[in-house]
Amino acid sequence: MNLVNPENMVLNTMRLVESDEKSHIRLSANGGNSILLVCKPDREIDYIRAIRKLMPEDKYQIIDLSDLLCQFVEQNKSNLEEMFNLLQGSLHQIFKTPAGEEGSDYLGLILQAIDSSLKADKIPVLINTGTLYGSGIGSIHIVENDSVMRAKSPLIILYPATWVQDMLMFLGKRPASKYRCMVVK
């Protein structure tokens, strides 16, 4: 059995991001500015450990989506029960406000954290992305965001997924969009 070394994958991703060949990322990402660092779902914790160990805080901003989900719940705890009752057929709208509507949502918190990282001149790295499953938020909603697309540094997304033939499956369950992303596996 050939097990991929998470530390080597993280180091390879760092080399790619820190190289002078950022145009290669955009070319491989169909004009996008994001990297999907793909790991098997059962190895995600090993990759998170490697990211925390190897990515220096002065260059990289690790954004833990599980922390942001808890923050979203905390900010909205007085309204959550009512929102669940009102939106029973459209629960994803709790986490991602429909276009044209205003509201505090999980996607907004994620995009704010990425923006903050970019403004601090750091490379944003998303971990614990499994929290997106069932939320109605796909990686495409994040990677096609204007600030991500225009940033001088790419966004890195630790992406727990499996390959089924040529199809990348998020958490082994849902087909993943590789559009606007360079896939590192």
Side-chain angles (χ1 to χ4, degrees):
M1 181 186 247
N2 183 13
L3 284 180
V4 176
N5 182 324
E7 288 190 10
N8 287 344
M9 293 301 297
V10 169
L11 288 170
N12 289 340
T13 302
M14 291 170 63
R15 277 189 214 96
L16 177 65
V17 168
E18 294 174 19
S19 75
D20 292 331
E21 297 182 33
K22 292 201 174 58
S23 61
H24 177 65
I25 295 170
R26 288 192 186 272
L27 183 64
S28 296
N30 301 305
N33 194 26
S34 300
I35 295 172
L36 290 183
L37 175 55
V38 177
C39 67
K40 289 186 177 187
D42 63 350
R43 303 278 324 271
E44 184 177 20
I45 194 71
D46 299 326
Y47 278 77
I48 291 171
R49 282 188 193 115
I51 285 169
R52 291 191 186 279
K53 175 182 173 184
L54 298 170
M55 291 184 165
E57 291 179 10
D58 63 327
K59 280 188 179 179
Y60 295 87
Q61 177 72 46
I62 298 169
I63 301 169
D64 188 332
L65 297 191
S66 63
D67 289 344
L68 290 181
L69 180 59
C70 289
Q71 182 181 335
F72 168 76
V73 169
E74 184 63 32
Q75 288 175 355
N76 294 285
K77 68 180 174 184
S78 62
N79 301 341
L80 278 179
E81 184 176 355
E82 181 182 345
M83 288 191 305
F84 272 101
N85 289 332
L86 287 173
L87 298 170
Q88 287 180 7
S90 306
L91 290 179
H92 62 277
Q93 290 182 13
I94 293 171
F95 304 101
K96 179 180 157 272
T97 305
E101 292 185 25
E102 289 189 29
S104 171
D105 63 10
Y106 182 38
L107 178 60
L109 285 176
I110 294 167
L111 296 174
Q112 285 173 4
I114 292 169
D115 259 352
S116 176
S117 175
L118 294 170
K119 286 177 183 168
D121 204 26
K122 293 185 179 186
I123 299 163
V125 181
L126 302 184
I127 63 169
N128 287 314
T129 56
T131 62
L132 298 176
Y133 187 75
S135 70
I137 302 169
S139 60
I140 198 75
H141 297 112
I142 297 168
V143 301
E144 284 195 335
N145 177 268
D146 272 354
S147 59
V148 171
M149 294 287 284
R150 288 184 280 115
K152 69 177 184 178
S153 297
L155 168 68
I156 299 171
I157 303 172
L158 180 60
Y159 205 74
T162 55
W163 288 93
V164 177
Q165 296 161 353
D166 288 340
M167 176 71 68
L168 185 61
M169 302 291 287
F170 181 59
L171 294 173
K173 303 283 185 196
R174 188 180 83 207
S177 173
K178 300 178 281 185
Y179 192 64
R180 302 284 191 211
C181 298
M182 177 182 198
V183 176
V184 175
K185 54 182 178 166

